Amino acid sequence: MAQTPQAKYRKDYKQPSHTITDIELTFDLHDTATTVTAVSYVKQLGDETTLVLDGEGLTLEALKVDGADWSDYTADESSLEIRELPAQCELTIVTLINPEANTALEGLYKSGGAFCTQCEAEGFRRITYYLDRPDVLAKYTTTVIADKETYPFLLSNGNRIEEGLADNGRHWVKWQDPHPKPCYLFALVAGDFDVRRDQYQTKSGRNVALEVFVDKGNLERANHAMVSLINAMKWDEERFDLEYDLDIYMVVAVDFFNMGAMENKGLNVFNSKYVLANDQTATDGDYLGIESVIGHEYFHNWTGNRVTCRDWFQLSLKEGLTVFRDQEFSSDLGSRAVNRINNVRVIRGPQFAEDSSPMSHPIRPEKVIEMNNFYTVTVYEKGSEVIRMMHTLLGEAAFQKGMKLYFERHDGTAATCEDFVAAMEDASGVDLKQFRLWYSQSGTPTLTVQSQYDAQAKTYSLTVEQVTEPTHEQKDKQPLHIPFDIELYAADGTVIELQRNGKSVHNVLDVKEAKQTFVFDNVAEQPIPSLLREFSAPVKLEYEYSDEELTFLMVHARNEFARWDAGQMLLAKYIRSNVIKVQNGQAVELPETVVDAFRGVLLSDELEPAFVAEMLALPGHNEVSGWYKCVDVDAIATVLHAMKVQLATELEDEFSATYHTLKQAEYTIDHAAIGQRALRNSCLGYLAFTEQGNPLVKAQYQAANNMTDTMAAMSAANNAKLTCRAEIMADYSEKWAHDGLVMDKWFILQGTNPAENALQTIKETMNHEAFSLKNPNRTRSLIGSFFNNNPVNFHAKSGEGYRFAGEILRELNSSNPQVASRLIDPLLKFRRYDEARQALIKKELETLKAMDNLARDLFEKVTKALEA
Ligand code: TRP
Ligand code: ZN
């Protein structure tokens, strides 16, 4: 490596020496040589007269101060130092960049035929030299010049204020954004698109033009994104009293994008995966994903853009809060229980795994080498759980008062996580002093609960102990303030009111100490406790439930989430005990009572189909792996497979009856219909493991009139290794080879193929006409799914899965380090496997570490993982 990358620390935050109040940008767009002229109004803030700007991969063409050439400067690989500047001046910088050679997809690049930008977190420095930090807020005026025929649409942030023709068939458009913003929210797009137009009238009566730009020919696939956008605008007015603040809102879908989408002011750029959908190309899951990401980016307009982050350590200020808002949006529009279940799966799976990995970090990290590495499930999803806990502690009304105060204090500025908590505290009067630890402490607390019933005194006590194990980067842990939501049930299913000294007690207990006992009185009989209701804190719960108590809660808990969670705990007990059995060479067993509990769920006519489908889903291999210090990949896979087969066999009649009852004549995408398909396809997934599986799956594939049913059949064939798999896969690939986005579903099935020769097939699939390692969606679908969701083949004892990973990562290290750095995650956890596998993975990490062009993204992760 040329230079060892340097870490930055949160504690070292310093205000900038200068600020930039206004900037006029001119882009003369050409594929390989684009000229960027930046005229900035620079103001000195303290005594420092030297201005150091960030810049990467730029060719400096000219530098002027107040219109005159300036020579007192030095430029190196990552910065431009300009000395002896006047306290206020107009700084002109001309740089030359090559968008076509930009495969990292940061800064200005080409996606298909269009120019587009991605500036978060630190991509603006690849466009021009600038103070590339979120606490410098400027007003932007942007002129875009390009060939008129190839690039009829020239877009940037704010309002279009002028346009005209230029020489050589070129034209230009000038945009002005009245809202000061940090440069990470800058965006530019130039291309030829179909545009879906609509409008929205805000509740104060202003009209907003809505425009969704998609590749030519895709217009009818943009409808759901538009509907979702309108729903999001309306929801934010109703629930948060927040209105949109410009006359136009644009969304552009591009095929080459490192993440999901980006909230640039007034001009969101989206991964086309989160825009394009129709019933032939998208599954119900895709529709819901679009709704949630469209919502997420829209909600950033207030939580992220109007109030932005002071520095990148504060990322969760905007991301945790905006994820909370998008989760609430989806829950208000659809099923709250199903949304909660899926959000909790993400915490218990990938987030707990990250917390116990070498990359563990608090939701507000203390130390960063490459910021792109901190757009994590911890900052986003655990960050959202932290906001949700405050919401639980304050209640909706006080939480909304806190939001109002937060905007009153910080609108138009760059704020910190502390500012947010302070606003919540001040608006509600709730003491959040100890609660703040959630921002600085990493790791997953375990709550161990013990109960005692005193029949004589009629008291019931819960003793709660909290322990957070040391994490990779932080050894000492303190007790957290944990909102612990509980309920007690009598044997007849009624709720026992919580009382203490004759007074009723709130059902959310404040756990604050390492060990604490809560006593309730007037408890007439031995109760059954429902604990950590709604997953009221991102913790692991340990309580010795009997099977009877869990099957009781599966039926009697008032709240759907609690019923689901009881089902999960019951399954967990038998997954654990069967893993031990398999390790001792014994057969997997599931008692009749457990099978019957799930039969009851399936036959219930009170429960919503979407919820029943969730109840029937076994925890995944990754989530189960997280329960173990040393992961036995094959034993876990054997157990999950055997349990699925046993449930399928014993409940075959019920699955079959439900499957046939839920047949739909017509395809609609309302929540009720989505729920019915979910349950029907969950039945199909089980039935695939029975005798009737092959003909049934094949028939569904052939009869399907929508992508949800098509994919369900194809996945069932894949998971159960049915003989019809090959035929179905071939048919699909022939039909959709021209459409990369639709092929992604097929690539995922190749990646997760449980068959023994899967890796060989994957290598051949890399030659498929629709595949390209340059496209992040294709790469994540085929390669990412193999690394993360094909446990048995990826962790093959031969080491071939790891060697393949090494090859791919070395290639992506040069072309797209951000994508490489996301893909490497499963390898970082090498210490959790047996010694032979550890050695094989370690070898790949060491080979990477020795590369002389190792990107900082991979450098940070590889060095952390290899540290003892
Ligand atoms: N702010 C974006 C979001 O959460 C995330 C994002 C999009 C991003 N593209 C990125 C982050 C590129 C880092 C790099 O909606
Ligand atoms: Zn976001």
Side-chain angles (χ1 to χ4, degrees):
M1 197 169 333
Q3 250 183 335
T4 310
Q6 294 300 303
K8 279 191 182 157
Y9 294 83
R10 180 171 73 91
K11 62 175 166 46
D12 293 342
Y13 174 80
K14 279 197 201 67
Q15 279 199 294
S17 62
H18 295 71
T19 195
I20 296 168
T21 57
D22 296 85
I23 176 168
E24 285 155 31
L25 283 163
T26 305
F27 289 81
D28 196 10
L29 293 175
H30 295 275
D31 286 356
T32 56
T34 287
T35 306
V36 182
T37 305
V39 181
S40 300
Y41 297 86
V42 179
K43 239 189 179 156
Q44 188 180 313
L45 295 176
D47 303 333
E48 184 59 67
T49 57
T50 300
L51 171 65
V52 182
L53 300 176
D54 306 293
E56 242 168 75
L58 303 170
T59 306
L60 181 62
E61 298 273 276
L63 199 169
K64 290 181 183 159
V65 173
D66 292 326
D69 284 339
W70 194 263
S71 53
D72 197 358
Y73 73 88
T74 24
D76 67 18
E77 261 164 56
S78 62
S79 66
L80 173 66
E81 186 179 303
I82 312 170
R83 289 174 291 267
E84 302 294 336
L85 274 184
Q88 287 199 29
C89 63
E90 181 197 281
L91 176 66
T92 303
I93 292 174
V94 183
T95 48
L96 194 62
I97 52 181
N98 182 351
E100 200 170 87
N102 183 349
T103 58
L105 315 183
E106 272 187 289
L108 178 70
Y109 65 91
K110 289 209 75 182
S111 169
F115 286 94
C116 64
T117 55
Q118 172 55 41
C119 295
E120 188 177 8
E122 297 177 331
F124 194 74
R125 62 185 64 184
R126 293 164 190 254
I127 291 173
T128 184
Y129 288 102
Y130 197 72
L131 285 170
D132 190 357
R133 45 187 292 164
D135 58 351
V136 171
L137 278 67
K139 283 190 184 163
Y140 283 67
T141 306
T142 306
T143 306
V144 188
I145 313 165
D147 182 74
K148 188 167 195 272
E149 208 175 290
T150 321
Y151 307 101
F153 293 95
L154 306 177
L155 315 174
S156 191
N157 318 84
N159 302 309
R160 187 191 281 107
I161 54 169
E162 248 185 282
E163 57 197 302
L165 292 174
D167 294 343
N168 305 319
R170 295 169 72 77
H171 70 146
W172 58 272
V173 179
K174 191 176 203 167
W175 293 82
Q176 193 163 55
D177 182 357
H179 298 279
K181 64 170 176 285
C183 63
Y184 83 86
L185 290 172
F186 169 79
L188 171 159
V189 172
D192 193 3
F193 303 100
D194 276 343
V195 196
R196 181 148 201 124
R197 295 176 206 272
D198 211 316
Q199 52 171 321
Y200 182 79
Q201 192 176 61
T202 68
K203 70 173 175 186
S204 70
R206 280 187 316 99
N207 276 317
V208 182
L210 309 178
E211 301 183 333
V212 178
F213 295 80
V214 296
D215 276 356
K216 291 235 143 213
N218 276 337
L219 202 55
E220 45 76 53
R221 284 200 217 184
N223 185 49
H224 187 66
M226 183 62 89
V227 170
S228 300
L229 176 59
I230 292 169
N231 287 339
M233 296 178 88
K234 195 155 179 288
W235 181 86
D236 215 12
E237 292 180 350
E238 286 170 359
R239 175 93 186 256
F240 278 80
D241 195 23
L242 295 171
E243 249 185 81
Y244 188 60
D245 56 5
L246 282 168
D247 301 330
I248 180 167
Y249 193 92
M250 296 173 281
V251 168
V252 184
V254 299
D255 289 330
F256 286 72
F257 202 71
N258 282 345
M259 304 271 285
M262 181 61 213
E263 70 264 24
N264 317 299
K265 185 81 189 186
L267 176 56
N268 290 179
V269 178
F270 268 64
N271 186 324
S272 54
K273 173 180 163 61
Y274 291 111
V275 174
L276 302 179
N278 67 29
D279 54 11
Q280 294 311 300
T281 62
T283 63
D284 294 339
D286 295 329
Y287 276 96
L288 295 173
I290 289 168
E291 177 178 274
S292 128
V293 178
I294 288 271
H296 181 98
E297 307 312 329
Y298 176 72
F299 303 141
H300 266 314
N301 189 56
W302 278 94
T303 51
N305 302 2
R306 289 289 291 250
V307 181
T308 193
C309 300
R310 186 192 71 174
D311 56 77
W312 288 121
F313 297 100
Q314 317 296 327
L315 180 62
S316 201
L317 173 70
K318 75 176 177 78
E319 295 304 346
L321 179 54
T322 304
V323 170
F324 172 78
R325 277 152 53 68
D326 85 52
Q327 290 176 350
E328 284 299 297
F329 170 58
S330 297
S331 301
D332 284 345
L333 265 61
S335 159
R336 181 160 287 272
V338 170
N339 275 287
R340 190 65 191 135
I341 288 166
N342 286 311
N343 298 334
V344 170
R345 282 202 175 106
V346 173
I347 298 289
R348 287 188 178 151
Q351 202 285 318
F352 283 2
E354 184 164 86
D355 247 345
S356 66
S357 82
M359 267 300 284
S360 69
H361 53 277
I363 64 166
R364 183 185 57 203
E366 302 290 349
K367 175 190 176 189
V368 166
I369 291 180
E370 170 53 60
M371 192 52 214
N372 285 332
N373 283 340
F374 290 85
Y375 288 75
T376 60
V377 279
T378 298
V379 167
Y380 275 62
E381 323 293 330
K382 186 178 178 181
S384 166
E385 293 300 316
V386 170
I387 303 288
R388 186 173 296 283
M389 285 190 283
M390 284 190 264
H391 185 269
T392 302
L393 292 170
L394 272 63
E396 168 77 4
F399 183 87
Q400 291 297 349
K401 265 177 75 186
M403 292 295 303
K404 278 245 149 28
L405 185 59
Y406 172 65
F407 289 123
E408 251 169 61
R409 288 179 177 172
H410 304 290
D411 187 14
T413 72
T416 63
C417 297
E418 170 54 32
D419 293 330
F420 183 84
V421 180
M424 285 292 155
E425 200 166 42
D426 294 346
S428 67
V430 174
D431 178 359
L432 297 172
K433 189 159 176 288
Q434 185 186 357
F435 185 84
R436 283 169 167 80
L437 256 183
W438 283 104
Y439 282 92
S440 55
Q441 185 164 293
S442 62
T444 309
T446 298
L447 280 194
T448 307
V449 180
Q450 257 151 1
S451 62
Q452 205 170 24
Y453 180 61
D454 183 337
Q456 215 91 80
K458 301 224 178 306
T459 59
Y460 182 72
S461 61
L462 290 173
T463 300
V464 185
E465 266 182 275
Q466 59 162 310
V467 175
T468 306
E469 296 284 330
T471 51
H472 186 86
E473 79 324 338
Q474 190 183 55
K475 299 300 163 228
D476 296 325
K477 304 291 180 183
Q478 290 162 275
L480 292 152
H481 179 181
I482 297 170
F484 187 46
D485 188 340
I486 68 156
E487 231 171 28
L488 302 180
Y489 289 94
D492 66 357
T494 54
V495 177
I496 300 171
E497 201 201 340
L498 300 180
Q499 289 187 11
R500 180 74 189 142
N501 300 327
K503 281 206 192 111
S504 95
V505 173
H506 192 52
N507 64 301
V508 179
L509 311 179
D510 288 293
V511 173
K512 292 186 163 181
E513 288 155 37
K515 186 171 179 177
Q516 212 168 339
T517 300
F518 300 87
V519 183
F520 306 102
D521 37 45
N522 286 326
V523 181
E525 59 178 291
Q526 167 82 49
I528 296 163
S530 172
L531 303 174
L532 199 69
R533 295 169 76 245
E534 291 290 356
F535 194 65
S536 59
V539 302
K540 294 180 184 167
L541 173 69
E542 281 188 14
Y543 178 75
E544 294 218 356
Y545 275 116
S546 66
D547 286 11
E548 293 69 34
E549 288 173 313
L550 290 172
T551 50
F552 172 93
L553 289 172
M554 281 173 75
V555 178
H556 294 290
R558 284 200 289 191
N559 150 298
E560 286 183 312
F561 179 84
R563 293 186 187 185
W564 171 80
D565 211 15
Q568 293 290 297
M569 286 189 267
L570 186 62
L571 291 168
K573 278 178 82 169
Y574 285 95
I575 294 170
R576 286 176 198 272
S577 60
N578 279 308
V579 164
I580 297 171
K581 284 203 168 124
V582 167
Q583 287 168 336
N584 294 327
Q586 295 166 285
V588 173
E589 275 174 333
L590 207 53
E592 268 323 296
T593 49
V594 174
V595 176
D596 283 342
F598 286 94
R599 179 178 286 117
V601 169
L602 191 51
L603 294 180
S604 157
D605 41 14
E606 285 155 44
L607 300 174
E608 295 216 350
F611 177 69
V612 176
E614 298 299 341
M615 288 288 297
L616 293 170
L618 302 179
H621 194 287
N622 287 330
E623 187 180 330
V624 175
S625 299
W627 304 344
Y628 296 93
K629 285 238 156 22
C630 182
V631 179
D632 188 335
V633 178
D634 300 301
I636 293 171
T638 303
V639 169
L640 291 175
H641 178 262
M643 280 175 59
K644 186 131 199 196
V645 171
Q646 190 180 341
L647 285 169
T649 314
E650 297 200 25
L651 300 179
E652 182 172 357
D653 291 347
E654 291 83 355
F655 279 130
S656 191
T658 309
Y659 178 81
H660 291 291
T661 313
L662 290 176
K663 187 172 167 54
Q664 295 173 343
E666 236 183 289
Y667 178 83
T668 55
I669 47 156
D670 51 283
H671 286 280
I674 291 176
Q676 290 180 357
R677 281 191 294 275
L679 179 53
R680 184 167 191 260
N681 286 323
S682 151
C683 294
L684 184 72
Y686 277 101
L687 290 168
F689 289 90
T690 68
E691 293 256 303
Q692 54 171 313
N694 200 60
L696 198 66
V697 166
K698 198 171 157 177
Q700 170 156 330
Y701 180 84
Q702 283 165 347
N705 66 352
N706 65 81
M707 182 53 95
T708 304
D709 290 341
T710 300
M711 264 309 287
M714 208 153 72
S715 309
N718 189 55
N719 296 338
K721 305 194 214 175
L722 299 180
T723 48
C724 65
R725 179 189 187 275
E727 187 187 333
I728 294 181
M729 291 288 281
D731 180 78
Y732 186 101
S733 147
E734 198 175 314
K735 191 163 171 203
W736 294 110
H738 59 280
D739 191 321
L741 207 53
V742 182
M743 282 305 289
D744 279 341
K745 303 176 198 309
W746 188 88
F747 288 132
I748 289 172
L749 295 185
Q750 297 292 28
T752 58
N753 182 3
E756 249 171 64
N757 64 342
L759 181 55
Q760 190 48 42
T761 318
I762 289 167
K763 287 178 180 169
E764 286 158 18
T765 303
M766 291 180 70
N767 298 318
H768 192 284
E769 61 184 289
F771 187 82
S772 161
L773 212 48
K774 291 259 149 43
N775 184 302
N777 289 358
R778 297 310 89 81
T779 303
R780 282 187 285 254
S781 298
L782 183 65
I783 317 283
S785 72
F786 175 65
F787 291 6
N788 290 294
N789 294 307
N790 198 338
V792 172
N793 286 310
F794 180 64
H795 294 283
K797 289 200 187 73
S798 66
E800 57 173 0
Y802 306 144
R803 281 192 295 280
F804 175 64
E807 279 165 37
I808 296 285
L809 290 169
R810 289 192 292 277
E811 181 163 348
L812 287 171
N813 173 63
S814 319
S815 60
N816 190 330
Q818 207 179 323
V819 167
S821 191
R822 285 194 171 263
L823 282 181
I824 201 175
D825 284 346
L827 295 182
L828 306 181
K829 298 163 189 154
F830 70 99
R831 288 201 164 81
R832 304 182 70 116
Y833 300 94
D834 55 82
E835 280 183 17
R837 285 180 169 109
Q838 280 196 30
L840 289 164
I841 302 176
K842 207 167 162 202
K843 192 168 156 240
E844 296 305 327
L845 293 176
E846 269 158 0
T847 308
L848 279 166
K849 196 182 171 192
M851 287 174 77
D852 52 14
N853 66 340
L854 186 65
R856 22 186 315 128
D857 316 51
L858 286 180
F859 170 85
E860 180 167 37
K861 291 191 174 182
V862 169
T863 50
K864 265 192 198 172
L866 289 173
E867 282 165 8

mmCIF file of all heavy atoms in Angstrom, residues 352-374:
data_model
loop_
_atom_site.group_PDB
_atom_site.id
_atom_site.type_symbol
_atom_site.label_atom_id
_atom_site.label_comp_id
_atom_site.label_asym_id
_atom_site.label_seq_id
_atom_site.Cartn_x
_atom_site.Cartn_y
_atom_site.Cartn_z
ATOM 1 N N PHE A 352 -27.110 -8.212 15.328
ATOM 2 C CA PHE A 352 -26.426 -8.893 16.435
ATOM 3 C C PHE A 352 -25.093 -9.466 15.937
ATOM 4 O O PHE A 352 -24.086 -9.452 16.657
ATOM 5 C CB PHE A 352 -27.303 -10.016 17.009
ATOM 6 C CG PHE A 352 -28.428 -9.529 17.909
ATOM 7 C CD1 PHE A 352 -28.639 -8.181 18.137
ATOM 8 C CD2 PHE A 352 -29.265 -10.446 18.529
ATOM 9 C CE1 PHE A 352 -29.676 -7.735 18.966
ATOM 10 C CE2 PHE A 352 -30.309 -10.021 19.374
ATOM 11 C CZ PHE A 352 -30.511 -8.663 19.577
ATOM 12 N N ALA A 353 -25.102 -9.973 14.708
ATOM 13 C CA ALA A 353 -23.861 -10.532 14.147
ATOM 14 C C ALA A 353 -22.791 -9.448 14.020
ATOM 15 O O ALA A 353 -21.627 -9.672 14.352
ATOM 16 C CB ALA A 353 -24.139 -11.178 12.795
ATOM 17 N N GLU A 354 -23.187 -8.274 13.570
ATOM 18 C CA GLU A 354 -22.215 -7.190 13.441
ATOM 19 C C GLU A 354 -21.686 -6.767 14.811
ATOM 20 O O GLU A 354 -20.487 -6.513 14.984
ATOM 21 C CB GLU A 354 -22.856 -5.989 12.739
ATOM 22 C CG GLU A 354 -21.900 -4.844 12.460
ATOM 23 C CD GLU A 354 -22.479 -3.889 11.436
ATOM 24 O OE1 GLU A 354 -23.230 -2.972 11.820
ATOM 25 O OE2 GLU A 354 -22.199 -4.077 10.245
ATOM 26 N N ASP A 355 -22.574 -6.710 15.781
ATOM 27 C CA ASP A 355 -22.186 -6.312 17.132
ATOM 28 C C ASP A 355 -21.172 -7.269 17.758
ATOM 29 O O ASP A 355 -20.428 -6.897 18.666
ATOM 30 C CB ASP A 355 -23.435 -6.256 18.033
ATOM 31 C CG ASP A 355 -23.761 -4.830 18.482
ATOM 32 O OD1 ASP A 355 -22.895 -3.956 18.342
ATOM 33 O OD2 ASP A 355 -24.877 -4.619 18.983
ATOM 34 N N SER A 356 -21.169 -8.521 17.303
ATOM 35 C CA SER A 356 -20.216 -9.465 17.886
ATOM 36 C C SER A 356 -19.058 -9.749 16.926
ATOM 37 O O SER A 356 -18.321 -10.708 17.102
ATOM 38 C CB SER A 356 -20.931 -10.763 18.250
ATOM 39 O OG SER A 356 -21.385 -11.396 17.078
ATOM 40 N N SER A 357 -18.913 -8.895 15.902
ATOM 41 C CA SER A 357 -17.844 -9.105 14.906
ATOM 42 C C SER A 357 -16.701 -8.120 15.137
ATOM 43 O O SER A 357 -16.817 -7.215 15.965
ATOM 44 C CB SER A 357 -18.412 -8.880 13.505
ATOM 45 O OG SER A 357 -18.438 -7.486 13.211
ATOM 46 N N PRO A 358 -15.612 -8.281 14.422
ATOM 47 C CA PRO A 358 -14.510 -7.309 14.546
ATOM 48 C C PRO A 358 -14.917 -5.891 14.132
ATOM 49 O O PRO A 358 -14.239 -4.936 14.478
ATOM 50 C CB PRO A 358 -13.447 -7.846 13.576
ATOM 51 C CG PRO A 358 -13.780 -9.275 13.380
ATOM 52 C CD PRO A 358 -15.252 -9.406 13.536
ATOM 53 N N MET A 359 -16.015 -5.751 13.400
ATOM 54 C CA MET A 359 -16.468 -4.412 12.992
ATOM 55 C C MET A 359 -17.466 -3.795 13.981
ATOM 56 O O MET A 359 -18.086 -2.781 13.677
ATOM 57 C CB MET A 359 -17.136 -4.492 11.609
ATOM 58 C CG MET A 359 -16.192 -4.221 10.438
ATOM 59 S SD MET A 359 -15.432 -2.576 10.507
ATOM 60 C CE MET A 359 -16.817 -1.544 9.961
ATOM 61 N N SER A 360 -17.641 -4.389 15.161
ATOM 62 C CA SER A 360 -18.623 -3.845 16.104
ATOM 63 C C SER A 360 -18.328 -2.367 16.384
ATOM 64 O O SER A 360 -17.178 -1.952 16.474
ATOM 65 C CB SER A 360 -18.589 -4.627 17.409
ATOM 66 O OG SER A 360 -17.370 -4.366 18.071
ATOM 67 N N HIS A 361 -19.395 -1.596 16.496
ATOM 68 C CA HIS A 361 -19.252 -0.167 16.801
ATOM 69 C C HIS A 361 -20.558 0.326 17.403
ATOM 70 O O HIS A 361 -21.617 -0.233 17.145
ATOM 71 C CB HIS A 361 -18.911 0.638 15.539
ATOM 72 C CG HIS A 361 -19.860 0.397 14.395
ATOM 73 N ND1 HIS A 361 -19.727 -0.683 13.546
ATOM 74 C CD2 HIS A 361 -20.958 1.053 13.986
ATOM 75 C CE1 HIS A 361 -20.706 -0.657 12.662
ATOM 76 N NE2 HIS A 361 -21.477 0.377 12.894
ATOM 77 N N PRO A 362 -20.490 1.389 18.216
ATOM 78 C CA PRO A 362 -21.731 1.984 18.711
ATOM 79 C C PRO A 362 -22.484 2.649 17.553
ATOM 80 O O PRO A 362 -21.891 2.897 16.501
ATOM 81 C CB PRO A 362 -21.256 3.036 19.712
ATOM 82 C CG PRO A 362 -19.776 3.008 19.730
ATOM 83 C CD PRO A 362 -19.283 2.104 18.680
ATOM 84 N N ILE A 363 -23.768 2.955 17.758
ATOM 85 C CA ILE A 363 -24.513 3.601 16.674
ATOM 86 C C ILE A 363 -23.886 4.952 16.319
ATOM 87 O O ILE A 363 -24.070 5.441 15.215
ATOM 88 C CB ILE A 363 -26.021 3.746 16.999
ATOM 89 C CG1 ILE A 363 -26.241 4.669 18.190
ATOM 90 C CG2 ILE A 363 -26.671 2.387 17.236
ATOM 91 C CD1 ILE A 363 -27.703 5.105 18.335
ATOM 92 N N ARG A 364 -23.145 5.514 17.244
ATOM 93 C CA ARG A 364 -22.346 6.717 16.942
ATOM 94 C C ARG A 364 -20.877 6.315 17.089
ATOM 95 O O ARG A 364 -20.339 6.325 18.194
ATOM 96 C CB ARG A 364 -22.706 7.842 17.927
ATOM 97 C CG ARG A 364 -21.974 9.158 17.662
ATOM 98 C CD ARG A 364 -22.281 10.198 18.727
ATOM 99 N NE ARG A 364 -21.953 9.703 20.054
ATOM 100 C CZ ARG A 364 -22.468 10.153 21.182
ATOM 101 N NH1 ARG A 364 -23.341 11.153 21.170
ATOM 102 N NH2 ARG A 364 -22.117 9.633 22.341
ATOM 103 N N PRO A 365 -20.235 5.941 15.993
ATOM 104 C CA PRO A 365 -18.868 5.405 16.077
ATOM 105 C C PRO A 365 -17.874 6.418 16.647
ATOM 106 O O PRO A 365 -18.099 7.623 16.590
ATOM 107 C CB PRO A 365 -18.519 5.095 14.615
ATOM 108 C CG PRO A 365 -19.810 5.093 13.877
ATOM 109 C CD PRO A 365 -20.732 6.011 14.624
ATOM 110 N N GLU A 366 -16.784 5.895 17.221
ATOM 111 C CA GLU A 366 -15.742 6.758 17.799
ATOM 112 C C GLU A 366 -14.561 6.919 16.855
ATOM 113 O O GLU A 366 -13.799 7.873 16.964
ATOM 114 C CB GLU A 366 -15.218 6.144 19.116
ATOM 115 C CG GLU A 366 -16.273 5.912 20.182
ATOM 116 C CD GLU A 366 -16.817 7.206 20.791
ATOM 117 O OE1 GLU A 366 -16.244 8.286 20.553
ATOM 118 O OE2 GLU A 366 -17.840 7.119 21.501
ATOM 119 N N LYS A 367 -14.399 5.961 15.961
ATOM 120 C CA LYS A 367 -13.190 5.909 15.137
ATOM 121 C C LYS A 367 -13.529 5.370 13.754
ATOM 122 O O LYS A 367 -14.174 4.324 13.656
ATOM 123 C CB LYS A 367 -12.192 4.971 15.827
ATOM 124 C CG LYS A 367 -10.928 4.699 15.056
ATOM 125 C CD LYS A 367 -10.122 3.591 15.700
ATOM 126 C CE LYS A 367 -8.898 3.288 14.843
ATOM 127 N NZ LYS A 367 -8.186 2.096 15.292
ATOM 128 N N VAL A 368 -13.110 6.096 12.724
ATOM 129 C CA VAL A 368 -13.451 5.701 11.356
ATOM 130 C C VAL A 368 -12.236 5.854 10.450
ATOM 131 O O VAL A 368 -11.545 6.872 10.503
ATOM 132 C CB VAL A 368 -14.611 6.587 10.812
ATOM 133 C CG1 VAL A 368 -14.753 6.441 9.310
ATOM 134 C CG2 VAL A 368 -15.924 6.247 11.512
ATOM 135 N N ILE A 369 -11.966 4.855 9.627
ATOM 136 C CA ILE A 369 -10.956 5.023 8.575
ATOM 137 C C ILE A 369 -11.654 5.391 7.272
ATOM 138 O O ILE A 369 -11.370 6.425 6.671
ATOM 139 C CB ILE A 369 -10.086 3.759 8.423
ATOM 140 C CG1 ILE A 369 -9.195 3.587 9.663
ATOM 141 C CG2 ILE A 369 -9.216 3.860 7.154
ATOM 142 C CD1 ILE A 369 -8.287 2.369 9.638
ATOM 143 N N GLU A 370 -12.611 4.563 6.834
ATOM 144 C CA GLU A 370 -13.365 4.868 5.614
ATOM 145 C C GLU A 370 -14.845 5.010 5.977
ATOM 146 O O GLU A 370 -15.473 4.056 6.408
ATOM 147 C CB GLU A 370 -13.159 3.744 4.587
ATOM 148 C CG GLU A 370 -14.074 3.810 3.380
ATOM 149 C CD GLU A 370 -14.050 5.158 2.667
ATOM 150 O OE1 GLU A 370 -12.964 5.561 2.203
ATOM 151 O OE2 GLU A 370 -15.120 5.808 2.579
ATOM 152 N N MET A 371 -15.385 6.209 5.791
ATOM 153 C CA MET A 371 -16.777 6.450 6.208
ATOM 154 C C MET A 371 -17.762 5.499 5.551
ATOM 155 O O MET A 371 -18.747 5.093 6.166
ATOM 156 C CB MET A 371 -17.151 7.911 5.924
ATOM 157 C CG MET A 371 -18.466 8.299 6.585
ATOM 158 S SD MET A 371 -18.523 7.904 8.364
ATOM 159 C CE MET A 371 -20.252 7.488 8.549
ATOM 160 N N ASN A 372 -17.516 5.135 4.304
ATOM 161 C CA ASN A 372 -18.451 4.215 3.625
ATOM 162 C C ASN A 372 -18.655 2.915 4.397
ATOM 163 O O ASN A 372 -19.673 2.251 4.234
ATOM 164 C CB ASN A 372 -17.964 3.891 2.218
ATOM 165 C CG ASN A 372 -18.181 5.055 1.268
ATOM 166 O OD1 ASN A 372 -19.098 5.849 1.462
ATOM 167 N ND2 ASN A 372 -17.340 5.165 0.264
ATOM 168 N N ASN A 373 -17.689 2.552 5.232
ATOM 169 C CA ASN A 373 -17.827 1.320 6.006
ATOM 170 C C ASN A 373 -18.804 1.450 7.173
ATOM 171 O O ASN A 373 -19.054 0.474 7.872
ATOM 172 C CB ASN A 373 -16.466 0.896 6.569
ATOM 173 C CG ASN A 373 -15.589 0.261 5.503
ATOM 174 O OD1 ASN A 373 -16.087 -0.200 4.466
ATOM 175 N ND2 ASN A 373 -14.287 0.227 5.744
ATOM 176 N N PHE A 374 -19.314 2.661 7.413
ATOM 177 C CA PHE A 374 -20.183 2.848 8.579
ATOM 178 C C PHE A 374 -21.645 3.094 8.228
ATOM 179 O O PHE A 374 -22.431 3.520 9.063
ATOM 180 C CB PHE A 374 -19.589 3.907 9.515
ATOM 181 C CG PHE A 374 -18.351 3.362 10.187
ATOM 182 C CD1 PHE A 374 -17.119 3.429 9.555
ATOM 183 C CD2 PHE A 374 -18.444 2.692 11.392
ATOM 184 C CE1 PHE A 374 -15.985 2.854 10.127
ATOM 185 C CE2 PHE A 374 -17.319 2.117 11.974
ATOM 186 C CZ PHE A 374 -16.083 2.195 11.339
#
